[in-house]
Amino acid sequence: MAYDKPLDSDAAAKQKAIDDWLPITSSRNAKWWYSAFHNVTAMVGAGVLSLPYAMASLGWGPGVVILILSWIITLYTLWQMVEMHEMVPGKRFDRYHELGQHAFGEKLGLWIVVPQQLIVEVGVNIVYMVTGGKSLKKFHDLVCSNCKDIRTTYFIMIFASVHFVLSHLPNFNSITIVSLAAAVMSLSYSTIAWAATVHKGVNPDVDYSNKASTSTGKLFHFLSALGDVAFAYAGHNVVLEIQATIPSTPEVPSKKPMWKGVIVAYLIVAVCYFPVALIGYWYFGNAVDDNILISLEKPAWLIATANIFVVIHVIGSYQIYAMPVFDMIETVLVKKLSFKPCFRLRFITRTLYVAFTMFIAICIPFFGGLLGFFGGFAFAPTTYYLPCIIWLVVRKPKRFGLSWTINWICIVLGVLLTVLAPIGGLRQIIISAKSYQFFS
């Protein structure tokens, strides 16, 4: 790393050569706007299209409060991570687990952070394989309504073929164009979703009551919807890795350009999330589908275009979430197992990883339900309250002071989310499993 403890010259040269090869630390010339669209690409997933459906289970009051509260809490925890990136003079925490190790110790820090981060990143990659394949299928079905029906499996394989090429780009800065295109697409399909809804007009028999008729059903729908909202704000898992690509000097530390980019990203997130969630629910009520583009149906050419935008977006998002996984795999192989850093090693590991995510996506195309279950254990902690715990451990704010109180409120709300959201996800899995077929 740039300013780590002094090593003897040979060891230092070897360490520098490895750091210059690894994807997170190899390029540190990013500008502040790289941070903006990398964060938009990481955060605004195709899950934004399910927010009206979540609103239908939450209702107006709780729905609006939870949406706004999630936006504020996750912006606050993101600010904490940006601040902690260089809190030790002369050292940069380039990876989430390095920050965890600083707070909790070498071994415990790894065990707390890495499993959760891997569940999120690998899980998101598998979901994006499914989302990309299904959106391609929707596009095909809309454009060619008289064509022979093609199984989702083949569309997932077509989507994966793009990643067999893109995954060999070496580092974050090399996927800048892909990420920029993805960020533009997320803004585009979000705008199409709410603008087409406004154009269609409010349903004459719109109903805002809960879909479920029983108290139990209402509760499970509410918990599942909590998960949907929580998972919409899951960009924190790659924040330190994005910040690692920005140059840093004593005069201009990396947190300044990074924070500027985060503010722009969060304004774009608000522009994408709030209109889709609120207008979608206002116009369709509880009749809205779990993907608002399905509720719209026409004009067919516009909805087909939106689906292609979703495909381009999840191509970029897949790469943003895959890069830290590649970094972890390559770090273990090169530093622990002493493999030589070379193109062949990178080619084999990354190809196998893409093949693995493709295979799981083909096997379990209802993985969204599984993610609601497992993701509750990892998405909520890494986004909502792990940064707060690290802040309390490292910064030690005054007890019952403002900082201490805010962090504990975030921790309590985050823990509740971690416990409750998987319950809704588990019910979704049970419902999906009844009509489930392998290789659909």
Side-chain angles (χ1 to χ4, degrees):
M1 273 168 238
Y3 319 108
D4 273 347
K5 292 177 208 166
L7 305 163
D8 67 69
S9 57
D10 285 351
K14 192 177 176 186
Q15 177 74 26
K16 187 177 184 309
I18 290 172
D19 282 341
D20 287 347
W21 183 77
L22 288 171
I24 301 299
T25 46
S26 63
S27 178
R28 293 202 195 265
N29 58 2
K31 306 289 187 286
W32 73 264
W33 55 86
Y34 289 30
S35 145
F37 51 72
H38 282 330
N39 277 298
V40 170
T41 303
M43 198 160 302
V44 185
V48 63
L49 302 173
S50 70
L51 286 177
Y53 184 74
M55 285 291 295
S57 298
L58 296 169
W60 277 117
V64 172
V65 169
I66 288 163
L67 269 180
I68 294 171
L69 206 56
S70 288
W71 191 85
I72 293 168
I73 289 173
T74 55
L75 180 58
Y76 173 68
T77 55
L78 196 50
W79 169 78
Q80 289 182 313
M81 293 188 75
V82 170
E83 284 290 314
M84 290 190 287
H85 180 79
E86 287 177 284
M87 64 185 165
V88 177
K91 183 171 174 64
R92 296 180 69 170
F93 297 113
D94 294 319
R95 300 161 180 90
Y96 205 148
H97 68 81
E98 289 175 10
L99 184 60
Q101 285 174 299
H102 177 70
F104 308 118
E106 286 292 312
K107 280 195 173 170
L108 184 62
L110 272 182
W111 282 107
I112 288 173
V113 177
V114 171
Q116 296 187 76
Q117 203 179 2
L118 279 174
I119 289 171
V120 172
E121 286 162 357
V122 178
V124 166
N125 281 158
I126 294 167
V127 166
Y128 283 162
M129 278 282 179
V130 175
T131 307
K134 285 189 170 176
S135 295
L136 272 176
K137 181 171 168 48
K138 272 183 216 157
F139 174 78
H140 170 266
D141 294 349
L142 283 164
V143 171
C144 187
S145 52
N146 301 321
C147 295
K148 182 187 169 194
D149 186 54
I150 300 172
R151 278 165 37 186
T152 310
T153 296
Y154 296 117
F155 285 105
I156 293 173
M157 290 165 84
I158 292 166
F159 181 77
S161 66
V162 177
H163 296 293
F164 282 116
V165 177
L166 288 181
S167 290
H168 302 299
L169 291 169
N171 53 43
F172 260 122
N173 287 347
S174 64
I175 58 171
T176 298
I177 300 298
V178 179
S179 181
L180 175 61
V184 171
M185 291 302 125
S186 61
L187 192 56
S188 304
Y189 67 69
S190 300
T191 306
I192 288 173
W194 68 259
T197 307
V198 170
H199 183 260
K200 186 182 173 79
V202 179
N203 279 357
D205 52 349
V206 67
D207 181 4
Y208 299 118
S209 64
N210 199 300
K211 262 185 183 176
S213 51
T214 64
S215 305
T216 313
K218 285 176 185 174
L219 176 66
F220 279 119
H221 276 176
F222 187 88
L223 297 180
S224 191
L226 273 183
D228 288 346
V229 175
F231 307 146
Y233 293 95
H236 294 49
N237 290 276
V238 290
V239 163
L240 292 176
E241 287 81 353
I242 292 169
Q243 192 169 346
T245 64
I246 295 175
S248 186
T249 61
E251 298 77 38
V252 186
S254 64
K255 66 183 181 183
K256 287 186 178 177
M258 180 68 184
W259 182 240
K260 199 173 172 183
V262 166
I263 290 292
V264 172
Y266 255 74
L267 289 173
I268 294 170
V269 165
V271 169
C272 290
Y273 283 19
F274 295 118
V276 173
L278 303 178
I279 293 172
Y281 181 45
W282 184 32
Y283 278 67
F284 290 107
N286 64 15
V288 72
D289 283 282
D290 59 359
N291 179 338
I292 192 169
L293 294 180
I294 296 171
S295 297
L296 288 164
E297 289 169 356
K298 57 189 181 186
W301 65 270
L302 187 66
I303 308 309
T305 306
N307 275 297
I308 279 297
F309 287 172
V310 171
V311 172
I312 297 168
H313 172 75
V314 293
I315 286 172
S317 277
Y318 183 99
Q319 291 301 319
I320 290 282
Y321 279 94
M323 201 57 79
V325 181
F326 297 152
D327 183 79
M328 282 186 209
I329 296 168
E330 288 162 18
T331 300
V332 169
L333 290 172
V334 173
K335 289 189 175 178
K336 295 275 188 291
L337 303 176
S338 303
F339 278 85
K340 188 185 173 194
C342 61
F343 173 76
R344 191 194 309 161
L345 178 72
R346 186 164 271 174
F347 182 82
I348 292 167
T349 52
R350 295 188 180 193
T351 303
L352 287 173
Y353 177 78
V354 174
F356 166 75
T357 54
M358 178 188 77
F359 178 73
I360 301 295
I362 290 168
C363 286
I364 317 174
F366 69 84
F367 195 82
L370 278 175
L371 196 74
F373 176 60
F374 292 119
F377 300 125
F379 274 67
T382 53
T383 302
Y384 281 76
Y385 64 91
L386 194 54
C388 296
I389 294 172
I390 295 173
W391 185 272
L392 290 175
V393 170
V394 176
R395 288 290 172 95
K396 299 182 174 60
K398 187 184 169 193
R399 203 167 183 186
F400 302 111
L402 183 64
S403 173
W404 187 91
T405 308
I406 290 170
N407 280 296
W408 272 108
I409 290 169
C410 294
I411 290 166
V412 170
L413 292 173
V415 169
L416 283 172
L417 201 58
T418 308
V419 173
L420 298 175
I423 298 169
L426 181 62
R427 185 167 177 266
Q428 291 294 107
I429 293 169
I430 293 163
I431 292 165
S432 302
K434 286 177 184 172
S435 57
Y436 169 60
Q437 287 179 304
F438 267 110
F439 303 105
S440 64

